[in-house]
Amino acid sequence: MQATQRICFVGFSSASFFIVGVGIVLPAWIAFHAGGSSLVGVVLLTSSVAGFVLAPLSGYIVDRYSRLTVTAAGQAIRASGLLVLSLVQVLPEGLSRPLLVLSAVLGALGYALLAGAMSGLLQSLIPEAERMISNMRLSFFNQAGLAIGTGAAGYAIDRLGSTTAAVLSACIALAILPLLGTLTRTPSGHRSMKGLTPLSASREALRYLLNEPQSLSAAVTVGLAFAVIQITNLLLPGFVIHSLGGGSNLFGTLEMTAAIAGMAALAIAGMPMFARKLAGATATILAGAAAALIALSFVTNPLVAIVLYAVAGMLWNLSRAAANGDLLTVVDSALIGRVQAFTTLLTGGLGGVIFLLPTLVPNATEAGLYVACGVTIFIATALVGLWTGRGRRPRI
């Protein structure tokens, strides 16, 4: 990968995650002021369901067309979602809910297209042996972009208002598209899918995963790594109040500590000597992340919780980056879009179950749910390891 291409790809990716950070803060803030917490819940649920439903279609599109074209289209769709969001507080109140729902759908579709297409671009730009190292380094810049995006969105809302912040964010999303210009000579990595429909293409990807234990295990591990993050995002506020006796200050400190520690871990993991060791240790790191959930459940001292949560943040970020690195290394480039779609389906399914836990078991404590989820991830990780150990199955 040439130096200019490397810089432009990393720049586009981190700037794209800046928009992801904006998308975490801005829609929730606008939805709350338009209809309270219930409308925030509707927007988040819409985004999750849209990502789940549209995943097979996005995977088909990524593997069917030029990855560069799909990347640009995904970014443009996300920008249009932000522009729709900017209209919520300008148009009549009765349109607030439909506009928020439409914005959530556009954001989910754009993100799904970007995730698959950029994975394909990375595979075509970087040799297989270097993908784990490159993904670790890229994860650091993506995490930095995400953190800056969340902070910038809050600042922009305070200084400029949510409508102006949404328009400005959409302009930034479109302004970074020229960074893709240096990649136009790079092979797209996709192969002909003539005669395949989205359904038949999805069946082909499923057969591939069933015949390739390493690829299926990598895809499942990505879903499990994201599940760990979903669990702690759901349970941490209640855990801070009920188990640690703290408030918003402690909650913010825990999240900040985990984010800083995670970025530091990714920076170290991007060094070649460490990245090579992580290539075969994804399951171990994921098991460590699950153990961190269990250990956290027994903590009642805020200072101990801060230290442990920092360690947990390192493990969570490393497990996610290592899982993605494995996925990019072992999965056939011709099917990366559909395999990424499978991980989206898995993450969405796990997320749906996780977010319903407080409703399904209303009498359970956050500490108890941390233990239950940690043990479940342990078991799932062990089963994935057993599946991988079966070796390559004969093709059907």
Side-chain angles (χ1 to χ4, degrees), residues 65-119:
Y65 300 102
S66 163
R67 269 74 187 265
L68 279 170
T69 301
V70 175
T71 298
Q75 189 73 352
I77 290 171
R78 290 172 68 195
S80 66
L82 289 168
L83 288 175
V84 169
L85 193 63
S86 70
L87 300 175
V88 172
Q89 295 182 337
V90 176
L91 296 179
E93 185 177 341
L95 296 175
S96 296
R97 187 177 294 262
L99 288 172
L100 282 163
V101 168
L102 176 59
S103 176
V105 172
L106 290 172
L109 175 59
Y111 182 82
L113 292 173
L114 277 169
M118 292 191 69
S119 293

Side-chain angles (χ1 to χ4, degrees), residues 4 24 38 81-82 155 160 166 185 201 205 229 252 255 292 294 301 318 341 353 367-368 387:
T4 301
I24 293 173
S38 61
L82 289 168
Y155 181 82
L160 305 174
R185 298 178 186 176
I229 298 169
E255 290 286 26
I294 298 173
N301 184 292
L318 285 175
V353 174
W387 175 268

Side-chain angles (χ1 to χ4, degrees), residues 153-371:
Y155 181 82
I157 291 170
D158 180 60
R159 294 292 181 177
L160 305 174
S162 55
T163 299
T164 303
V167 173
L168 182 61
S169 299
C171 291
I172 293 173
L174 294 174
I176 64 174
L177 285 176
L179 289 173
L180 296 174
T182 61
L183 309 179
T184 52
R185 298 178 186 176
T186 304
S188 65
H190 75 285
R191 65 179 175 80
S192 174
M193 292 175 61
K194 186 177 181 180
L196 291 178
T197 65
L199 182 60
S200 60
S202 296
R203 285 200 301 265
E204 182 186 54
L206 182 58
R207 285 195 298 269
Y208 167 80
L209 288 172
L210 292 176
N211 287 320
E212 300 288 344
Q214 281 191 319
S215 296
L216 179 59
S217 297
V220 172
T221 304
V222 171
L224 291 175
F226 274 93
V228 174
I229 298 169
Q230 289 173 320
I231 290 165
T232 192
N233 286 343
L234 171 69
L235 300 178
L236 185 62
F239 181 76
V240 167
I241 295 171
H242 298 141
S243 296
L244 300 179
S248 59
N249 287 340
L250 179 57
F251 175 71
T253 300
L254 287 167
E255 290 286 26
M256 180 185 68
T257 302
I260 293 173
M263 288 182 64
L266 289 171
I268 295 172
M271 299 177 183
M273 61 180 294
F274 292 107
R276 293 190 185 96
K277 293 179 180 179
L278 291 174
T282 305
T284 303
I285 300 170
L286 185 57
L293 291 178
I294 298 173
L296 186 66
S297 70
F298 296 101
V299 174
T300 56
N301 184 292
L303 291 178
V304 176
I306 290 172
V307 174
L308 181 59
Y309 207 68
V311 175
M314 296 170 64
L315 292 170
W316 298 333
N317 280 280
L318 285 175
S319 64
R320 180 173 61 178
N324 273 310
D326 280 341
L327 191 75
L328 293 171
T329 301
V330 302
V331 173
D332 185 344
S333 178
L335 294 104
I336 188 64
R338 283 164 286 171
V339 172
Q340 282 281 15
F342 173 80
T343 66
T344 300
L345 289 171
L346 182 61
T347 303
L350 290 172
V353 174
I354 290 166
F355 294 146
L356 284 174
L357 283 176
T359 303
L360 297 174
V361 281
N363 296 323
T365 64
E366 289 83 9
L369 291 174
Y370 268 135
V371 173

